[in-house]
Amino acid sequence: MPGERYAADAALRSVSEGRDADGASSLRLELSHGVASLELVADGVLRVRAFAHDEPLRPEHALERGPWRAHACSLREREGGFTWHTQACPLRVEIEATPFAIRLLDRRGAPVAELGELAFADSGAARIALRTAKDERFFGFGEKTGPLDKRGARLVMRNRDPESFEYTDPLYVSIPFFLVHRRGGAGSLGVLLEAFAPSHFDVAATREDRIAIESSQGGLDLALFPGPSPREVIARYSARVGRTPLPPRWALGHHQSRWGYKNARQLRALAREIRRRGIPGDALHLDIDYMDGYRVFTWHPKRFPDPRGLLSELSAMGFRVVCIVDPGVKVDPAYAVYRDGLARNAFCRRDDGGRFSLRVWPGEAALPDFDREDVRAWWGEQHRPLLDAGVAGIWNDMNEPAGWSADLRVGRLMLPLRKQDLSRVVQADPTGAKGELSHESVRNLYGLQHCRATQAALARDPQRRRPFVLTRSGYAGVQRYAAVWTGDNASRWSHLRGSIPMLLNLSLSGVAFCGADIGGFFRSCTPELYARWIQLGALYPFARTHSIWASRRQEPWRFGRRVEAIAREALRLRMRLLPYLESLFRESEQSGAPVWRPLFYEFPDDEGSSAIEDQVMLGPALLVAPVVTRGAQQRELHLPPGGWYAWHDDAFYRGPRRLTVAAPLERIPLFVRAGSLIPTQSPVDHAAQVPAEPRVHEVFPGRDAQALFVEDDGETTAYRDGQVAATSLRFWSNAGGRLRLEIGAREGPYEIAERALRVRFHACPPPQAVYVDGERLARGDGAPGWSEAEGCVDVRLRDRGRGAAIEIAPAP
Ligand code: GLC
């Protein structure tokens, strides 16, 4: 950490091999100032642990980390060092004695990673350097503001609610993981530092040929994940830290939130207005005002006299309610949650055993020690008053943890004085090895463990509904328990623009389900900024509008009729794309692939894609080029290699190329990759509504394509037991002169009633005839039948799950 005093770089003294009962081997390196150990895992993942005094905490025991099966490797001495390898893995490790270095090499002997300059400080801090080449770029690092490529940055990982209104480094989430991307498809590498204590990354800032990785306590526990593609890196990394479980379908709809929906009357009126105006919406969020004196797990008796009645009314209108829950428990002997927590000794304490509290919304508040399993279970039980009332999701806030030492009240304004002294606070050791640890040494886990408790409580649902938890704070792996929103941004163009690299890097760090407050939290949004923000935000993986009570209201109709129509259209597009979004979340659950992807993730060999930070791939098929500049009526963008169709008129372009397109306020430039099959539906008011057309396959010709679409109930975890229905699709642009789409018979036990199916062939020349299973299909708007409009051919069928082969013969 800045100011740390390190002994000279470690030098190798001796090497010894260890082998456990299963034959897995590790290498122990005795160094001049400490010890390092190496393990090599099946597909070339290398783990390096290094420490001078205390061993790093074992994340396996603390965090339900994925299995780590080290290989049996053999050691060979060579000039100047050692080689360590196994037949089972194409990668090998080389150890250099002086200067001490560890190298991971691919099968051709090309370096995948090189670590050196290992040094330890007396404080327990440790530092290591990853060598980098000039043309390498660096992504990930969790929730960070600033450019997409982090070369040149000095980044701190210590979860923090930023003081005052600045929105800088560090923020609420720390994920000490990054992706090294080499130009021209020369391979990628992922690096994870398991550090629950604060850590620091010098990303080729001090020296352009290295990234210095520093942990403030407990030595280093590093994992290197080879690619070669970004996709493979993320697959390996996410296998280790965990992936996003499928969200409930409703949580993929739009969430309307505001710090300021104060009582049942206002919430009811909000719900009615959203429906009356035909604006899609699935969730309403209740901020701290629903509580009684900000006591968590209570309802304000006057403002919300009948929560159960209110929530069932809202549910009949298709709305779910999400309630905020802060970790701080009001210090109030008359308050059962506090009394009970105290009796169980559930709160973080001082190192002298004394009580600890800080100031949050309810005044003095005690912090549960979520590193203890019994405390997590106890916390989970406290959710009863919310869940019994029908609350569908929990929004965990202030869990860095945030708090202040005193507050100043000026009328309605509360000014927190942020000085916070946590230096003497202790918590349980999450690994169970040591009993007690300083809060600082496990600080970055606080939010994750909070969400782990919440998710477990929701998962005990007798109807097995999928939990929805939203969090502000987190650490590597938080995606297993919660979606992440990026905290208190502001209604500024720079924050709209900045949300793109921020969410892309968060996505690459494993958090697939993420979003920024649409419209901005602080300050007042202008109609134009709101219009541009909702257009982009409707395509965020997690789409929530939220703002502070002191700002202009941010419901879609607050900005005039034109902007209301724009918001409605943007959210209708999200609802149309719901089946596609679900397929992306399914892919993420299975392989860790992010829902939001930087262009280079899909096009790692395309030079032009590597630095783009104002465009996004929503999955493999959709390219989003939002307008993020005030007054802009057009925008310039990059199209990667291949064919592309403009979403709004199917105009065709061939990439790679730069392109300037018109972007009037009504339009967000969107492009579809040629050769895509996108599952959509007709728009709905909310996700549980049955669409008039439940399934529309949008076919964008250009390349032959195939896809597998899996459907489930969208609500429960039965999908984990195989309660799914899968449909495979194959498309040929030219099968004997015809376009051909084969829809396979539906497979799997999940039953879908007979329904309407439409297949829309985009950019399709006028047909001479359309055939289904070899039979000529009649022209007409009924089903079965086909029609032609705006360069598209629509084929309407009844879908009984038996599959169909559709052919379009072009007119001569
Ligand atoms: C924090 C949250 C914000 C919330 C507010 C009041 O600032 O980040 O979203 O509205 O607290 O609970």
Side-chain angles (χ1 to χ4, degrees), residues 709-744:
F709 295 126
V710 179
E711 294 171 76
D712 56 37
D713 64 25
E715 182 83 18
T716 74
T717 55
Y719 73 91
R720 292 202 195 127
D721 310 327
Q723 279 298 322
V724 299
T727 308
S728 65
L729 266 70
R730 292 191 70 184
F731 172 74
W732 292 266
S733 293
N734 186 348
R738 294 174 174 181
L739 295 177
R740 180 178 170 87
L741 178 75
E742 279 179 18
I743 304 174

Side-chain angles (χ1 to χ4, degrees), residues 178-376:
F178 62 94
L179 177 92
V180 183
H181 183 63
R182 301 180 173 123
R183 287 207 190 168
S188 314
L189 168 77
V191 180
L192 169 69
L193 170 68
E194 284 281 17
F196 309 157
S199 58
H200 190 263
F201 292 78
D202 179 311
V203 192
T206 304
R207 269 177 36 198
E208 61 174 14
D209 63 343
R210 62 157 213 202
I211 294 191
I213 302 167
E214 233 179 321
S215 136
S216 63
Q217 291 176 34
L220 295 162
D221 185 351
L222 281 174
L224 305 182
F225 303 92
S229 67
R231 178 175 268 109
E232 287 158 290
V233 170
I234 305 293
R236 293 189 169 118
Y237 160 65
S238 61
R240 173 69 175 158
V241 299
R243 297 172 180 155
T244 307
L246 283 190
R249 187 175 293 146
W250 65 264
L252 299 182
H254 179 243
H255 300 235
Q256 180 71 40
S257 180
R258 178 172 176 86
W259 180 6
Y261 298 145
K262 269 203 157 53
N263 53 43
R265 188 179 47 78
Q266 287 182 9
L267 206 64
R268 224 178 254 126
L270 173 72
R272 288 205 194 108
E273 205 54 22
I274 295 176
R275 288 289 174 260
R276 191 175 76 77
R277 291 174 186 265
I279 294 164
D282 269 273
L284 304 177
H285 285 224
L286 283 178
D287 206 319
I288 50 177
D289 297 316
Y290 77 88
M291 292 181 265
D292 181 9
Y294 304 133
R295 287 172 190 82
V296 281
F297 308 118
T298 64
W299 291 95
H300 194 287
K302 291 220 178 73
R303 294 178 179 166
F304 292 89
D306 175 19
R308 193 197 290 252
L310 171 70
L311 268 56
S312 80
E313 231 178 276
L314 295 173
S315 153
M317 297 167 75
F319 285 107
R320 320 275 174 143
V321 170
V322 175
C323 281
I324 199 168
V325 173
D326 293 346
V329 175
K330 185 176 177 67
V331 175
D332 172 4
Y335 168 39
V337 179
Y338 177 69
R339 264 200 328 261
D340 195 28
L342 206 58
R344 290 163 188 267
N345 195 17
F347 300 118
C348 300
R349 302 181 75 82
R350 285 185 195 286
D351 54 5
D352 60 6
R355 288 184 197 169
F356 166 75
S357 62
L358 39 61
R359 287 189 80 75
V360 205
W361 309 122
E364 284 308 312
L367 292 174
D369 183 356
F370 296 118
D371 280 340
R372 266 167 50 194
E373 204 180 324
D374 63 319
V375 173
R376 290 198 298 273

Side-chain angles (χ1 to χ4, degrees), residues 682-684 690-694 756:
S682 55
V684 282
V690 180
E693 287 184 303

Side-chain angles (χ1 to χ4, degrees), residues 161 172 257-259 287-289 324 326 361 395 397-398 418 472 485 487-488 517 521-522 544 546-549:
D161 177 21
Y172 319 89
S257 180
R258 178 172 176 86
W259 180 6
D287 206 319
I288 50 177
D289 297 316
I324 199 168
D326 293 346
W361 309 122
W395 162 20
D397 188 24
M398 307 297 275
R418 296 283 173 157
R472 193 169 74 172
W485 102 100
D488 298 345
D517 280 346
F521 177 74
F522 288 122
R544 183 182 78 154
H546 181 56
S547 54
I548 191 171
W549 54 269

